[in-house]
Structures are given as structure tokens and as C-alpha cells.
Amino acid sequence: MKPSSSTSDLFGPLFTDPAVEAEISDGAWLRAMLDFERALAIVQARAGIVSEEAARMVVTAIDVGHYDPAELGAGALTSGTPVVPLVRAIGAHVTAEGKAAVHNGATSQDVLDTALSLVAFRALGPVLDGLRGVAKECERLAQRHRDTLIAGRTLAQHALPTTFGLKCAGWLVAVDEAVDNLTRVRHERLAVQFGGAAGTLAAVNDPSLTDQLAAQLGLAAPLIPWHTNRTRIAELAGALGAVSGVLAKIAQDVVLLAQTEVAEVAEAEGGTSSAMPHKHNPVRAVLVNACARRVPALVSTVLSAMAQEHERAVGAWHSEWQTVTELLRLVGGGVRGVRELLSRLRVDPDRMRRNLELTGGLLMAENVAVRLAARIGRAEAQDLVAEVCRTAVLSGRSLRVALEADLRIDLSPEEIAEALDPAGYIGSAGEFVDRALAAHRERPGR
């Protein structure tokens, strides 16, 4: 069985991870389909439904036979799935007795749904490993920059001072939550499928075979066949979509912080331009964002496929195969990109501190108002400080100068200086970082 992949040689390396790609290729799908057929023969022999010799022939045919994804794909045009030509190919390698154990009691959707679960389960191994690597980098940055001051920005404008460590702790918590969700889906929701032609298992009439198949393949065992209940696939797509969103948030923050006018972080390598020798673009963050922009439409495709007709849908489940494959590919690429990005991220604390002063102290206006409120009331303090801020902007003076010049400001120069110190107004930022780090370190198997 030769490996096969549908990813592009030209663009593929930009948007995927080789470890994930190996688990979602055509060869990986074919291996998963064959794994189902092998397991089916084994458990039916154990149950006495087929002979041990027949099952042994099927296993041998699967293990030593040559099955070409391209040939199976070409042969699928008459049936709508590659399962029919695959079953015929397996049957061609066994005797008449062996044919009784090939695909016995199963339907094409049993094979492909189980294969989808297997492909996803296997691909999520390197995806989750990569996410844990991303979390490790977030942990490192949060710890190192616990107290590194940076301007907090709301609606893209300076808001209040915060710390870069808290920003990284926010990334860390989001990644950990995404790992938890994806792990739950992997172990609890990716299930074997075995219902036969109409979900009744009429041909074998033994529901315990489903549990045995699940144990043989390492997948969850469903309560009943789920041919037209696609909540499992929807949960997988949703979990992958959430991971992509978490990664996109990190990449977007890096892009914004790396702008020339901001220059608080930078990617350590790459970023060249074909036309401008001076450019140092945040290339990895750009590629992560490119992956993430394609994910929502794929998730939407999976969700739109949930409304399925009666006991077998007319095309909806067919639409999931390549859609889920591409979701896994793009999320794998995004994970790889963010891990590489954060592992070599250059952080400039001095630039962060200088940028805090860009507005001449205006981002500390709330602290001034808080201190004044104890003397003149909250509403009056807010209005007065807002007026002084407008005066400072119009006159081109710093907020400190404007406050000291306004006789209505009942604060001493020392109190004003203290109120305008960003380090004194970061609230519980340090404690929040500590809580995020502690929670991460307590995670099992991190």
C-alpha cells in the first residue's frame, strides 16, 4: 500500500504539519478502512458468526494485499464510496469460504464513519502534542514577563496598563481549555460505527459486536448506531474550530504588536519580501491567520450536513470526509505555526515601556479619577479629569503638566506623579498570571 496525499506540493508546506499530514493522507484513510474490515472479521470469528479460518484469510488478505487509493477512487464512481471497490479487492484475495467474512453485516457508511473516527483520533495525537508545546511556550513567556509592563488596548486604542505576562497567561488558559475540549472529543466522542444497511444490524443481530469493535479499534462505543445522528462529527468540527480561533487570537496579537509603529515583539526569523529588502514580516503569524480564515467555512459545512434524511443521507455524510480532513490539516498547520512563532518570539520590554508614554500619561486618567473621587465624588472626578485630558490633548501638554496647572485638582505633585505611574495601576495582573501558571502546572500529563 503506497502512501498517498492530496496536499499541494507548492502550497502544502505552508499550511500543514508533516506529522498530521501523515495521519490524514489517502493512505491513512485507506489504512483506517482496512483496520475496520480486519477488526470486523476478528470479532465475528470470536463470536462464532464466521469461521476462524475465514477470518484468518481476511486478515491475511488485508495485511499482505496491495490496495491503491487511486484505483479505489476511480472504482468508487459507480457506488459513490470507495468501500465497494475495496470490499471487492479484499474478496479477490480470499477463497469462497473467506468471502463469508469480508464486510459481513456491514454497510459502506459503517466503514467510512469508523475510518473518519480513526483518522481523526490518530491525527489528533500530533495536534494535541503540538498544542501542549504551544502551552509550554505560553507558560514560559507568562512567567518571564509576569511584571513586564505593556499598554492594554481596547478597541485598538490605549486603555490601561497591563503586563505582557498577563497577555501570555490569557493565551495559556485558552490553549489549555482548547486541549481539554479536544481531548474529550478524541476519547469520548470519536466512535465506531456498526449498524448495517439500515441501522438495525439485521444481518448479524448481535449488538455486542459494536462494543467489541470499539475495543479492538480503540474507539468509543456508541449506545446505538449513529448513521444520521452527526453530533459526534459536529463536536469534532466545533472543537477544531475553537482550537483554530485560539491560535488565530495569538497570531493576531503578534501581528499587531509587531507593527512598525508598535514594535513590541518580532518574529526571530524569516519575514523577507520579494521587493523590499528592509522588511521583516511576521510570516508565521500571517500563515496561521491564513489557516484560521478557512476553518469557519469548513465547520459550517459539517454543521450544515447534520440534517440528514431518514436512515441514510443523500450526500450529507459524503461531504464530511474531505471537510474533516482539511480541518485537521489546517489546524495542524496552525498549531505548528504558533509553536514555532512563540518559541522564537523576540520581546522588547523597553519598547513596551516607551509606548506606555505615547499619550503623555492619558492612559492613567482612570487612576487619577479614582484618587480624586475619594475627595469630590466619583461623577465629579470623572468629569473633571475628562476635561483636563481634553485640555492636555488640545494644548499638546502631558497629562501631568495639565493636572498640576489646574487648581481644581486637589492632588499634590507627589500624588499626581504616583497616580501616573503605570506600575502602580495594574491591579491583580500578577496574581492572575500566578493563578494561570499554577492551574497549568497542576494539569495531568502536561
Side-chain angles (χ1 to χ4, degrees):
M1 183 172 62
K2 66 180 181 181
S4 176
S5 173
S6 61
T7 191
S8 164
D9 290 332
L10 182 61
F11 299 112
L14 300 175
F15 305 114
T16 191
D17 175 4
V20 176
E21 191 65 37
E23 301 295 350
I24 61 174
S25 66
D26 289 348
W29 268 92
L30 176 54
R31 183 172 68 252
M33 293 164 64
L34 290 169
D35 287 345
F36 173 87
E37 296 290 358
R38 181 192 297 106
L40 183 64
I42 290 171
V43 300
Q44 290 193 4
R46 290 173 183 167
I49 296 174
V50 300
S51 71
E52 292 187 3
E53 179 58 29
R56 190 176 300 112
M57 283 191 281
V58 172
V59 171
T60 300
I62 288 172
D63 290 344
V64 304
H66 171 74
Y67 305 95
D68 184 358
E71 292 178 3
L72 296 174
L77 293 174
T78 57
S79 61
T81 83
V83 175
V84 173
L86 177 62
V87 170
R88 288 174 180 162
I90 296 172
H93 290 83
V94 299
T95 66
E97 180 184 359
K99 284 182 170 62
V102 177
H103 196 66
N104 186 52
T107 190
S108 293
Q109 189 171 359
D110 291 337
V111 182
L112 282 162
D113 279 354
T114 302
L116 188 152
S117 293
L118 282 171
V119 165
F121 187 95
R122 292 162 178 171
L124 289 181
V127 168
L128 286 166
D129 287 344
L131 278 172
R132 293 185 187 99
V134 171
K136 183 178 181 180
E137 297 302 333
C138 293
E139 176 190 22
R140 175 182 61 81
L141 290 167
Q143 182 174 2
R144 177 176 297 179
H145 295 284
R146 178 188 186 275
D147 302 311
T148 299
L149 293 176
I150 189 174
R153 296 167 171 97
T154 61
L155 304 183
Q157 305 292 309
H158 278 206
L160 295 176
T162 182
T163 67
F164 186 62
L166 183 56
K167 185 184 292 287
C168 298
W171 298 344
L172 174 62
V173 171
V175 172
D176 281 346
E177 291 172 346
V179 167
D180 288 343
N181 191 31
L182 200 57
T183 299
R184 180 192 65 82
V185 169
R186 186 189 190 210
H187 290 288
E188 299 178 16
R189 302 299 291 158
L190 295 180
V192 74
Q193 178 77 279
F194 188 44
T200 64
L201 275 185
V204 293
N205 194 24
D206 186 353
S208 70
L209 290 175
T210 301
D211 296 339
Q212 296 175 51
L213 273 173
Q216 184 75 20
L217 293 170
L219 295 172
L223 187 64
I224 63 174
W226 47 280
H227 289 144
T228 52
N229 172 13
R230 311 310 285 178
T231 53
R232 296 174 185 275
I233 308 304
E235 287 181 52
L236 171 62
L240 289 169
V243 169
S244 179
V246 168
L247 298 173
K249 156 64 178 171
I250 297 173
Q252 186 80 335
D253 278 352
V254 169
V255 167
L256 294 173
L257 294 174
Q259 292 180 102
T260 303
E261 296 83 355
V262 181
E264 293 175 353
V265 304
E267 291 190 17
E269 300 173 1
T272 58
S273 165
S274 65
M276 296 170 282
H278 69 283
K279 292 297 290 294
H280 187 84
N281 298 316
V283 171
R284 287 175 179 79
V286 168
L287 293 177
V288 171
N289 271 325
C291 289
R293 289 177 184 273
R294 294 163 62 189
V295 166
L298 296 168
V299 175
S300 177
T301 297
V302 172
L303 295 179
S304 71
M306 290 188 71
Q308 302 200 358
E309 300 82 7
H310 300 301
E311 281 65 55
R312 183 81 77 252
V314 287
W317 59 286
H318 301 69
S319 71
E320 296 167 345
W321 311 330
Q322 288 183 301
T323 303
V324 171
T325 300
E326 191 65 10
L327 270 172
L328 291 164
R329 174 176 289 122
L330 292 171
V331 171
V335 170
R336 177 192 183 193
V338 171
R339 186 176 186 177
E340 292 177 350
L341 162 66
L342 294 181
S343 69
R344 296 190 284 269
L345 188 68
R346 292 205 305 256
V347 181
D348 191 340
D350 293 335
R351 181 62 179 243
M352 290 175 177
R353 184 59 193 247
R354 289 198 301 272
N355 284 347
L356 279 168
E357 306 299 331
L358 283 178
T359 61
L362 290 178
L363 85 169
M364 298 303 299
E366 182 185 73
N367 195 23
V368 176
V370 167
R371 291 169 182 254
L372 274 178
R375 304 180 185 183
I376 64 175
R378 184 178 183 278
E380 292 78 5
Q382 289 278 352
D383 291 343
L384 177 54
V385 174
E387 181 183 338
V388 175
C389 286
R390 288 192 293 270
T391 299
V393 171
L394 291 173
S395 65
R397 295 181 294 175
S398 69
L399 180 57
R400 179 173 183 171
V401 171
L403 288 168
E404 291 177 346
D406 195 311
L407 298 179
R408 297 170 296 173
I409 301 298
D410 187 20
L411 295 172
S412 68
E414 292 76 19
E415 289 174 317
I416 291 174
E418 184 178 328
L420 295 179
D421 179 10
Y425 200 61
I426 56 173
S428 302
E431 182 180 347
F432 288 149
V433 173
D434 294 341
R435 291 174 66 175
L437 291 173
H440 177 73
R441 290 164 183 161
E442 291 171 2
R443 293 170 61 82
R446 73 176 185 92

